Amino acid sequence: MDAPDGYAGEGFFTSKLSDVVGLARKNSIWPMPFATSCCGIEFMATMASHYDLARFGAERLGFSPRQCDLLMVIGTIAKKMGPVLKQVYLQMAEPRWVLSVGACASSGGIFDTYSVLQGIDQIIPVDVYVPGCPPRPEAILDGFMKIQELVGKESIRRRHSEKYQALLASYGIQ
Amino acid sequence: MDSMALTNDIIKEKLIAKFGELLTDWEEPFGLLTFTAPKDENLKVMQFLYDDPELRFQFLTDLCGVHYPGGKTGDLAVVYHLHNLKDNVRLRFKVFTTTANPEVYTATSLYSSANWMERETFDFFGINFVGHPNMKRILNVEEMDYFPLRKEFPLEDQSRTDKDDEMFGRGRLLNS
């Protein structure tokens, strides 16, 4: 891992606060898995020793949204589950990110039918989509690394920006 | 096994002795006794099948709806599957109604298991069970404003705007 840009001298190093915060955040993500179906099985493999999500600083999966900063939606979300998912998202504190794993979470997938939500982006904002039905653990890890990239580069002011507030407002949040 | 096993012929005889010409369309596909009753007689038929000391159809296995667009006696059917647990004999009967007047008497006073099954049938076919204690949707979201298993509604979610039908191999079918 490279050090952030900055000015180094003997015994000291200066850099931007946002870079340091980003570095810390992206390597200590607490994911909240919201696994509902077959993609969840792939995610279990992703967490387990062979693929080992812990290598990315995500050792600790939280099962309480209040402690977590990454919501991983893994699997089909029925319309009736929609309000539950939104509630979980609302219970997470800022800054929070969302990873949509698999075709169903991203677009409804093969379930183009009256009872299934046609993509979770209809109810909550999504940062990264992982395609696949189901995606292999490598793909989930790739999506997770994309999230890390976003987290590391995010401006400290982003969550207060008008653009972000407008995004949330478009989902009827706040 | 009883010396006098309960056969389809005995059941049919008893029903015809009680209801006569009211019951129609008798058949026995795969040995399952099946008939049609007028929709206003559904409770009387069930009560008789329940109370008769020989018939004892005291368990409602299944209750569901079927939509037959353009059906001659009505385009909506309610199908009852009854089970005599003592003799392990099953039967099935249907009542027909119309989408214009989708009302059928509830079986909840006789079979408690009808409660959720009638709610499901209401949810998917819009059949209103008169006298049901809690007639509202059970499986679908409450905001749903149609009955998804009626044939006039496409299976696919209609709220979607960013799916291109051409990409799903059905664009030309719908437009032709």
Side-chain angles (χ1 to χ4, degrees):
Chain A
M1 190 187 309
D2 296 328
D5 291 336
Y7 180 73
E10 200 172 333
F12 73 92
F13 176 75
T14 60
S15 182
K16 284 189 288 182
L17 180 62
S18 59
D19 284 359
V20 178
V21 169
L23 194 65
R25 277 179 177 169
K26 78 177 225 188
N27 291 297
S28 62
I29 289 176
W30 282 27
M32 153 92 207
F34 195 95
T36 53
S37 48
C38 30
C39 287
I41 307 293
E42 295 297 306
F43 180 66
M44 288 170 207
T46 312
M47 284 190 306
S49 50
H50 191 88
Y51 293 98
D52 198 8
L53 189 61
R55 293 179 291 153
F56 301 89
E59 180 71 59
R60 208 289 194 173
L61 289 148
F63 295 93
S64 156
R66 295 180 199 283
Q67 299 172 331
C68 293
D69 34 32
L70 172 62
L71 178 59
M72 299 181 79
V73 184
I74 309 158
T76 319
I77 303 296
K79 279 184 184 163
K80 215 158 180 176
M81 187 65 97
V84 179
L85 178 61
K86 187 162 186 175
Q87 180 79 14
V88 168
Y89 178 77
L90 291 175
Q91 285 174 346
M92 293 171 69
E94 292 280 18
R96 58 193 161 184
W97 291 268
V98 177
L99 177 64
S100 167
V101 175
C104 291
S106 304
S107 72
I110 60 167
F111 301 106
D112 186 1
T113 179
Y114 57 88
S115 59
V116 172
L117 196 65
Q118 299 297 296
I120 59 165
D121 50 9
Q122 294 195 347
I123 52 165
I124 55 174
V126 175
D127 293 278
V128 173
Y129 299 87
V130 179
C133 185
R136 284 196 51 84
E138 290 92 330
I140 300 179
L141 288 179
D142 188 48
F144 188 84
M145 286 161 76
K146 292 271 191 300
I147 287 276
Q148 281 190 306
E149 218 172 284
L150 285 177
V151 173
K153 287 183 181 158
E154 180 169 311
S155 150
I156 281 182
R157 298 177 198 282
R158 177 183 173 232
R159 306 277 161 173
H160 302 286
S161 69
E162 275 177 25
K163 197 176 166 192
Y164 184 72
Q165 297 301 325
L167 174 73
L168 287 188
S170 72
Y171 285 98
I173 299 169
Q174 287 167 352
Chain B
M1 192 110 185
D2 292 351
S3 56
M4 282 284 288
L6 186 62
T7 63
N8 284 351
D9 291 334
I10 298 174
I11 301 166
K12 188 173 173 180
E13 244 171 64
K14 276 181 164 279
L15 281 166
I16 288 178
K18 173 82 177 169
F19 295 100
E21 299 292 303
L22 282 175
L23 308 182
T24 54
D25 296 311
W26 294 90
E27 40 175 354
E28 289 185 36
F30 301 96
L32 178 64
L33 185 66
T34 303
F35 60 91
T36 299
K39 72 164 188 171
D40 291 337
E41 303 293 326
N42 66 339
L43 289 190
K44 286 177 197 146
V45 172
M46 272 186 277
Q47 189 80 54
F48 175 70
L49 288 165
Y50 190 101
D51 288 339
D52 187 276
E54 261 189 89
L55 296 179
R56 298 183 291 191
F57 283 93
Q58 293 172 359
F59 186 79
L60 177 68
T61 311
D62 192 18
L63 183 163
C64 65
V66 189
H67 188 200
Y68 298 106
K72 54 177 171 32
T73 45
D75 53 358
L76 277 179
V78 178
V79 186
Y80 299 91
H81 288 240
L82 302 182
H83 192 178
N84 172 338
L85 292 161
K86 283 271 171 57
D87 302 291
N88 195 19
V89 176
R90 298 164 190 271
L91 69 73
R92 170 173 66 174
F93 81 98
K94 306 174 184 179
V95 300
F96 283 85
T97 183
T98 59
T99 42
N101 178 31
E103 301 204 326
V104 173
Y105 293 119
T106 176
T108 45
S109 53
L110 201 51
Y111 302 104
S112 295
S113 64
N115 190 319
W116 283 14
M117 294 196 279
E118 287 182 349
R119 279 179 66 187
E120 185 187 5
T121 309
F122 167 73
D123 197 350
F124 285 98
F125 295 92
I127 295 168
N128 183 25
F129 289 90
V130 178
H132 189 285
N134 190 22
M135 191 84 279
K136 61 175 190 184
R137 288 189 187 272
I138 183 168
L139 292 173
N140 284 306
V141 286
E142 280 172 29
E143 310 85 81
M144 187 173 267
D145 54 2
Y146 68 108
F147 304 111
L149 290 194
R150 285 195 186 174
K151 306 268 187 227
E152 65 261 39
F153 300 107
L155 173 70
E156 293 80 16
D157 183 44
Q158 298 301 300
S159 64
R160 189 81 194 198
T161 52
D162 57 344
K163 269 187 181 168
D164 185 351
D165 279 336
E166 292 288 341
M167 298 293 188
F168 292 82
R170 61 189 179 214
R172 259 170 245 117
L173 277 176
L174 285 179
N175 296 332
S176 63

